[in-house]
Amino acid sequence: MTDRQRPTRRGGDKKEETESKQETTEDTTDVDDLDDLMDEIDSVLEENAEEFVKNYVQKGGE
Amino acid sequence: MAIHKVLGTETEFGIAAMTDPDFNPALASAAVVNSCPVPGVRVQWSHDEESPERDARSHGHEGFGVSDPQRALVNSVLTNGARLYVDHAHPEYSTPECYDPLEATLHDQAGVVVAHRSAVAATERIGHRLALYKNNSDGKGNSYGSHENYLLDRQTPFGTVIRYCLPFFVTRQIFTGSGKVGSENGRPDIDYQITQRADFFEEEVGLETTLKRPIVNTRDEPHGEPGRFRRLHVIIGDANLSDVQIYLKLGVTALFLAAMEDGAIPEPLDLADPVEACWRISHDIDLAEPVKLLDRGSATAVEIQMRYHEWLSDYAEGLDEAGQWRPVLDEWLSVLTDFEVDPDRTADRLDWVAKRTLVRAMIDRHGLDPQSAKLKTLDLQYHDVDPERSLHRRLLDRGRMRRLFTDEQIEAATLQPPERTRAYFRGETVRRFPDSVAAANWDALVLDTGERHLKRVPMMDPLRGNKSKTERLLDGAEDAAALIEALGGNE
């Protein structure tokens, strides 16, 4: 499968900071990552959600 | 001892054309199937042995399926032994017959790759972007299936299957669900639920798959010797994206069915009202509400599944292939114990929990109404087969969900058949002699050897026709005629 370019991480500085504080690294990284992920999702989500959802009608099957 | 649990899955993909105002789902589905770039042959699916309206509860052959010319024309058999075709208005992928749950999981995932490649090729052909979704509902009351198939012994009374499977199928939803924003089909309004399918189940038992859907489907098409085999057609599961979840769904169910056939499940655990329990469990995202048992008291789905886990662990210990079941039992127990602590702990394995994380984050971020169009879009797009658009894929790429296979392994499974079932013979014959395959079915191949009559090769036992039995014959045959000769000149 294709190798996709991932958007650059936001808050790189923040990450460096947390790396020095071992005990908080995991949680903070997770929150950062979820934040990044939601940025990415916002950018790939079909535009015009109303229209997209309205048009998605499936009939027949099984 | 229960017969070996050969198994496979069928996935109907949701389909949408993004820019085409004249979108016709049946035609678009046909374009997808006929554009499939993965090696295979486009042949007729011979229906002479198929009868989807035969009912497991009766002895006669009350009705036969009406043949649909579109189905016969738009049909491909791939070198991995799978089938890609159009079922009414959806592209559908049936995996080859697999030997064990892990292999079936791999082939289920290979189907997603085949579907995606075919959609890309069809998009180029028709000039409108075709999107496919591995989900089960359009959110407007229309559902399409993802079915599981397990080989059963014909000796097992179907009444036993019904009684034991009802509570098992209803309670396994807690780890078979892919999650859904909202409810449908007249069920109580809810913002988020565990499964895509539960709202659509209205009967305990029945033959239908498209209306008044039953928890236990009685379709009796063994796709093998009818005197020896039964194929249990399970229609109550969701289409899953997560490797671990597919493996759990198939593995736990296969082990459950083997134990049921061996009489190793001490109690059927009858529910007071399986149909109501079906949607209630799906709507209970905190996994806290007990459902009523027929005999005494009530229990939560987690508690009931814990009980099954205990019984099946004992059962598996005594089996020759105990090692095969250990990882299934371990994954199962880890999910159930995580559920008891906090369901969010399963977000790395279960689609419904992973998707819920995204839904919540989206609500927090944009202050959305919990059933807004944006969340429904997120719900749909979680299931997009296109890795560029799939939200599930985003979770994999960030290591937020566990995988059982690499992309390379899945890729290989789009080409290579399972080696321990008859899918090997089907797939290899298609690969070696594509021009000689005239028609196919699960339990037969029809070859055109250039002679006056077509040659039919019956494959009535799913475990025969495997690599160890047929590789030498295939290697020694220079063409289909020689292969027929080597097989003993079957008519």
Side-chain angles (χ1 to χ4, degrees), chain B residues 34-53:
Chain B
N34 287 339
S35 303
C36 177
V38 178
V41 290
R42 258 178 75 186
V43 292
Q44 183 165 339
W45 191 254
S46 60
H47 276 272
D48 50 335
E49 298 290 329
E50 276 212 19
S51 38
E53 287 164 29

PDB file of all heavy atoms in Angstrom, chain B residues 34-53:
ATOM      1  N   ASN B  34     -16.548  -5.344 -12.334  1.00  0.00           N
ATOM      2  CA  ASN B  34     -15.967  -5.615 -13.649  1.00  0.00           C
ATOM      3  C   ASN B  34     -14.667  -4.849 -13.900  1.00  0.00           C
ATOM      4  O   ASN B  34     -14.002  -5.089 -14.896  1.00  0.00           O
ATOM      5  CB  ASN B  34     -16.991  -5.327 -14.759  1.00  0.00           C
ATOM      6  CG  ASN B  34     -18.066  -6.411 -14.795  1.00  0.00           C
ATOM      7  OD1 ASN B  34     -17.854  -7.518 -14.307  1.00  0.00           O
ATOM      8  ND2 ASN B  34     -19.220  -6.088 -15.363  1.00  0.00           N
ATOM      9  N   SER B  35     -14.305  -3.957 -13.015  1.00  0.00           N
ATOM     10  CA  SER B  35     -13.033  -3.246 -13.166  1.00  0.00           C
ATOM     11  C   SER B  35     -11.943  -3.876 -12.301  1.00  0.00           C
ATOM     12  O   SER B  35     -10.812  -3.385 -12.284  1.00  0.00           O
ATOM     13  CB  SER B  35     -13.194  -1.774 -12.734  1.00  0.00           C
ATOM     14  OG  SER B  35     -14.202  -1.144 -13.480  1.00  0.00           O
ATOM     15  N   CYS B  36     -12.270  -4.919 -11.587  1.00  0.00           N
ATOM     16  CA  CYS B  36     -11.323  -5.503 -10.625  1.00  0.00           C
ATOM     17  C   CYS B  36      -9.974  -5.812 -11.281  1.00  0.00           C
ATOM     18  O   CYS B  36      -9.892  -6.620 -12.199  1.00  0.00           O
ATOM     19  CB  CYS B  36     -11.915  -6.789 -10.028  1.00  0.00           C
ATOM     20  SG  CYS B  36     -10.787  -7.628  -8.915  1.00  0.00           S
ATOM     21  N   PRO B  37      -8.909  -5.143 -10.835  1.00  0.00           N
ATOM     22  CA  PRO B  37      -7.597  -5.369 -11.442  1.00  0.00           C
ATOM     23  C   PRO B  37      -6.813  -6.511 -10.806  1.00  0.00           C
ATOM     24  O   PRO B  37      -5.719  -6.846 -11.252  1.00  0.00           O
ATOM     25  CB  PRO B  37      -6.882  -4.027 -11.198  1.00  0.00           C
ATOM     26  CG  PRO B  37      -7.469  -3.519  -9.919  1.00  0.00           C
ATOM     27  CD  PRO B  37      -8.856  -4.092  -9.784  1.00  0.00           C
ATOM     28  N   VAL B  38      -7.368  -7.103  -9.758  1.00  0.00           N
ATOM     29  CA  VAL B  38      -6.690  -8.208  -9.081  1.00  0.00           C
ATOM     30  C   VAL B  38      -6.926  -9.467  -9.916  1.00  0.00           C
ATOM     31  O   VAL B  38      -8.028  -9.684 -10.405  1.00  0.00           O
ATOM     32  CB  VAL B  38      -7.252  -8.365  -7.648  1.00  0.00           C
ATOM     33  CG1 VAL B  38      -6.611  -9.526  -6.929  1.00  0.00           C
ATOM     34  CG2 VAL B  38      -7.034  -7.070  -6.872  1.00  0.00           C
ATOM     35  N   PRO B  39      -5.882 -10.309 -10.111  1.00  0.00           N
ATOM     36  CA  PRO B  39      -6.021 -11.448 -11.019  1.00  0.00           C
ATOM     37  C   PRO B  39      -7.165 -12.389 -10.663  1.00  0.00           C
ATOM     38  O   PRO B  39      -7.364 -12.732  -9.497  1.00  0.00           O
ATOM     39  CB  PRO B  39      -4.679 -12.178 -10.894  1.00  0.00           C
ATOM     40  CG  PRO B  39      -3.752 -11.235 -10.246  1.00  0.00           C
ATOM     41  CD  PRO B  39      -4.546 -10.225  -9.509  1.00  0.00           C
ATOM     42  N   GLY B  40      -7.879 -12.781 -11.713  1.00  0.00           N
ATOM     43  CA  GLY B  40      -8.996 -13.702 -11.537  1.00  0.00           C
ATOM     44  C   GLY B  40      -9.661 -13.909 -12.874  1.00  0.00           C
ATOM     45  O   GLY B  40      -9.128 -13.490 -13.905  1.00  0.00           O
ATOM     46  N   VAL B  41     -10.801 -14.572 -12.853  1.00  0.00           N
ATOM     47  CA  VAL B  41     -11.548 -14.761 -14.104  1.00  0.00           C
ATOM     48  C   VAL B  41     -12.973 -14.271 -13.911  1.00  0.00           C
ATOM     49  O   VAL B  41     -13.553 -14.416 -12.835  1.00  0.00           O
ATOM     50  CB  VAL B  41     -11.586 -16.242 -14.550  1.00  0.00           C
ATOM     51  CG1 VAL B  41     -10.206 -16.679 -15.018  1.00  0.00           C
ATOM     52  CG2 VAL B  41     -12.096 -17.154 -13.440  1.00  0.00           C
ATOM     53  N   ARG B  42     -13.503 -13.678 -14.978  1.00  0.00           N
ATOM     54  CA  ARG B  42     -14.916 -13.288 -14.953  1.00  0.00           C
ATOM     55  C   ARG B  42     -15.707 -14.422 -15.556  1.00  0.00           C
ATOM     56  O   ARG B  42     -15.639 -14.671 -16.757  1.00  0.00           O
ATOM     57  CB  ARG B  42     -15.112 -12.021 -15.783  1.00  0.00           C
ATOM     58  CG  ARG B  42     -15.237 -10.783 -14.936  1.00  0.00           C
ATOM     59  CD  ARG B  42     -15.378  -9.573 -15.803  1.00  0.00           C
ATOM     60  NE  ARG B  42     -16.705  -9.464 -16.391  1.00  0.00           N
ATOM     61  CZ  ARG B  42     -17.025  -8.531 -17.279  1.00  0.00           C
ATOM     62  NH1 ARG B  42     -16.124  -7.677 -17.697  1.00  0.00           N
ATOM     63  NH2 ARG B  42     -18.249  -8.459 -17.745  1.00  0.00           N
ATOM     64  N   VAL B  43     -16.397 -15.144 -14.727  1.00  0.00           N
ATOM     65  CA  VAL B  43     -17.142 -16.309 -15.222  1.00  0.00           C
ATOM     66  C   VAL B  43     -18.516 -16.354 -14.577  1.00  0.00           C
ATOM     67  O   VAL B  43     -18.794 -15.651 -13.605  1.00  0.00           O
ATOM     68  CB  VAL B  43     -16.437 -17.643 -14.869  1.00  0.00           C
ATOM     69  CG1 VAL B  43     -15.135 -17.780 -15.628  1.00  0.00           C
ATOM     70  CG2 VAL B  43     -16.218 -17.772 -13.365  1.00  0.00           C
ATOM     71  N   GLN B  44     -19.312 -17.213 -15.139  1.00  0.00           N
ATOM     72  CA  GLN B  44     -20.627 -17.431 -14.564  1.00  0.00           C
ATOM     73  C   GLN B  44     -20.484 -18.148 -13.229  1.00  0.00           C
ATOM     74  O   GLN B  44     -19.630 -19.008 -13.054  1.00  0.00           O
ATOM     75  CB  GLN B  44     -21.443 -18.288 -15.533  1.00  0.00           C
ATOM     76  CG  GLN B  44     -22.845 -18.488 -15.044  1.00  0.00           C
ATOM     77  CD  GLN B  44     -23.736 -19.001 -16.149  1.00  0.00           C
ATOM     78  OE1 GLN B  44     -23.450 -18.851 -17.340  1.00  0.00           O
ATOM     79  NE2 GLN B  44     -24.834 -19.611 -15.753  1.00  0.00           N
ATOM     80  N   TRP B  45     -21.319 -17.748 -12.276  1.00  0.00           N
ATOM     81  CA  TRP B  45     -21.382 -18.471 -11.013  1.00  0.00           C
ATOM     82  C   TRP B  45     -22.499 -19.467 -11.183  1.00  0.00           C
ATOM     83  O   TRP B  45     -23.650 -19.088 -11.329  1.00  0.00           O
ATOM     84  CB  TRP B  45     -21.678 -17.501  -9.874  1.00  0.00           C
ATOM     85  CG  TRP B  45     -21.512 -18.098  -8.515  1.00  0.00           C
ATOM     86  CD1 TRP B  45     -22.527 -18.461  -7.670  1.00  0.00           C
ATOM     87  CD2 TRP B  45     -20.299 -18.376  -7.833  1.00  0.00           C
ATOM     88  NE1 TRP B  45     -21.993 -18.961  -6.500  1.00  0.00           N
ATOM     89  CE2 TRP B  45     -20.632 -18.923  -6.577  1.00  0.00           C
ATOM     90  CE3 TRP B  45     -18.943 -18.243  -8.163  1.00  0.00           C
ATOM     91  CZ2 TRP B  45     -19.658 -19.320  -5.649  1.00  0.00           C
ATOM     92  CZ3 TRP B  45     -17.989 -18.649  -7.238  1.00  0.00           C
ATOM     93  CH2 TRP B  45     -18.350 -19.178  -5.990  1.00  0.00           C
ATOM     94  N   SER B  46     -22.163 -20.747 -11.218  1.00  0.00           N
ATOM     95  CA  SER B  46     -23.210 -21.709 -11.544  1.00  0.00           C
ATOM     96  C   SER B  46     -24.131 -21.884 -10.354  1.00  0.00           C
ATOM     97  O   SER B  46     -23.687 -22.118  -9.240  1.00  0.00           O
ATOM     98  CB  SER B  46     -22.605 -23.039 -11.976  1.00  0.00           C
ATOM     99  OG  SER B  46     -21.826 -23.576 -10.947  1.00  0.00           O
ATOM    100  N   HIS B  47     -25.389 -21.727 -10.614  1.00  0.00           N
ATOM    101  CA  HIS B  47     -26.366 -21.747  -9.534  1.00  0.00           C
ATOM    102  C   HIS B  47     -27.044 -23.091  -9.360  1.00  0.00           C
ATOM    103  O   HIS B  47     -27.929 -23.232  -8.543  1.00  0.00           O
ATOM    104  CB  HIS B  47     -27.439 -20.685  -9.788  1.00  0.00           C
ATOM    105  CG  HIS B  47     -27.019 -19.345  -9.304  1.00  0.00           C
ATOM    106  ND1 HIS B  47     -27.239 -18.918  -8.027  1.00  0.00           N
ATOM    107  CD2 HIS B  47     -26.347 -18.354  -9.932  1.00  0.00           C
ATOM    108  CE1 HIS B  47     -26.735 -17.713  -7.880  1.00  0.00           C
ATOM    109  NE2 HIS B  47     -26.179 -17.339  -9.011  1.00  0.00           N
ATOM    110  N   ASP B  48     -26.591 -24.071 -10.122  1.00  0.00           N
ATOM    111  CA  ASP B  48     -27.320 -25.342 -10.080  1.00  0.00           C
ATOM    112  C   ASP B  48     -27.312 -25.985  -8.704  1.00  0.00           C
ATOM    113  O   ASP B  48     -28.215 -26.728  -8.353  1.00  0.00           O
ATOM    114  CB  ASP B  48     -26.784 -26.318 -11.137  1.00  0.00           C
ATOM    115  CG  ASP B  48     -25.270 -26.449 -11.090  1.00  0.00           C
ATOM    116  OD1 ASP B  48     -24.624 -25.499 -10.614  1.00  0.00           O
ATOM    117  OD2 ASP B  48     -24.743 -27.475 -11.512  1.00  0.00           O
ATOM    118  N   GLU B  49     -26.302 -25.687  -7.897  1.00  0.00           N
ATOM    119  CA  GLU B  49     -26.254 -26.302  -6.567  1.00  0.00           C
ATOM    120  C   GLU B  49     -26.640 -25.318  -5.468  1.00  0.00           C
ATOM    121  O   GLU B  49     -26.557 -25.631  -4.302  1.00  0.00           O
ATOM    122  CB  GLU B  49     -24.851 -26.842  -6.287  1.00  0.00           C
ATOM    123  CG  GLU B  49     -24.389 -27.924  -7.243  1.00  0.00           C
ATOM    124  CD  GLU B  49     -25.142 -29.224  -7.064  1.00  0.00           C
ATOM    125  OE1 GLU B  49     -25.566 -29.521  -5.938  1.00  0.00           O
ATOM    126  OE2 GLU B  49     -25.320 -29.936  -8.070  1.00  0.00           O
ATOM    127  N   GLU B  50     -26.967 -24.075  -5.843  1.00  0.00           N
ATOM    128  CA  GLU B  50     -27.262 -23.083  -4.810  1.00  0.00           C
ATOM    129  C   GLU B  50     -28.752 -22.894  -4.625  1.00  0.00           C
ATOM    130  O   GLU B  50     -29.506 -22.848  -5.566  1.00  0.00           O
ATOM    131  CB  GLU B  50     -26.641 -21.724  -5.175  1.00  0.00           C
ATOM    132  CG  GLU B  50     -25.208 -21.642  -4.770  1.00  0.00           C
ATOM    133  CD  GLU B  50     -24.782 -20.232  -4.381  1.00  0.00           C
ATOM    134  OE1 GLU B  50     -25.661 -19.400  -4.093  1.00  0.00           O
ATOM    135  OE2 GLU B  50     -23.578 -19.990  -4.370  1.00  0.00           O
ATOM    136  N   SER B  51     -29.163 -22.766  -3.401  1.00  0.00           N
ATOM    137  CA  SER B  51     -30.581 -22.574  -3.116  1.00  0.00           C
ATOM    138  C   SER B  51     -30.733 -21.769  -1.839  1.00  0.00           C
ATOM    139  O   SER B  51     -30.973 -22.323  -0.777  1.00  0.00           O
ATOM    140  CB  SER B  51     -31.286 -23.926  -2.992  1.00  0.00           C
ATOM    141  OG  SER B  51     -30.438 -24.852  -2.347  1.00  0.00           O
ATOM    142  N   PRO B  52     -30.573 -20.449  -1.958  1.00  0.00           N
ATOM    143  CA  PRO B  52     -30.573 -19.606  -0.762  1.00  0.00           C
ATOM    144  C   PRO B  52     -31.895 -19.595  -0.008  1.00  0.00           C
ATOM    145  O   PRO B  52     -31.958 -19.093   1.112  1.00  0.00           O
ATOM    146  CB  PRO B  52     -30.246 -18.207  -1.311  1.00  0.00           C
ATOM    147  CG  PRO B  52     -30.507 -18.265  -2.760  1.00  0.00           C
ATOM    148  CD  PRO B  52     -30.359 -19.683  -3.180  1.00  0.00           C
ATOM    149  N   GLU B  53     -32.942 -20.147  -0.622  1.00  0.00           N
ATOM    150  CA  GLU B  53     -34.211 -20.135   0.097  1.00  0.00           C
ATOM    151  C   GLU B  53     -34.520 -21.465   0.769  1.00  0.00           C
ATOM    152  O   GLU B  53     -35.599 -21.671   1.298  1.00  0.00           O
ATOM    153  CB  GLU B  53     -35.349 -19.726  -0.854  1.00  0.00           C
ATOM    154  CG  GLU B  53     -35.252 -18.237  -1.150  1.00  0.00           C
ATOM    155  CD  GLU B  53     -36.061 -17.814  -2.338  1.00  0.00           C
ATOM    156  OE1 GLU B  53     -37.084 -18.463  -2.602  1.00  0.00           O
ATOM    157  OE2 GLU B  53     -35.663 -16.840  -2.993  1.00  0.00           O
TER     158      GLU B  53
END
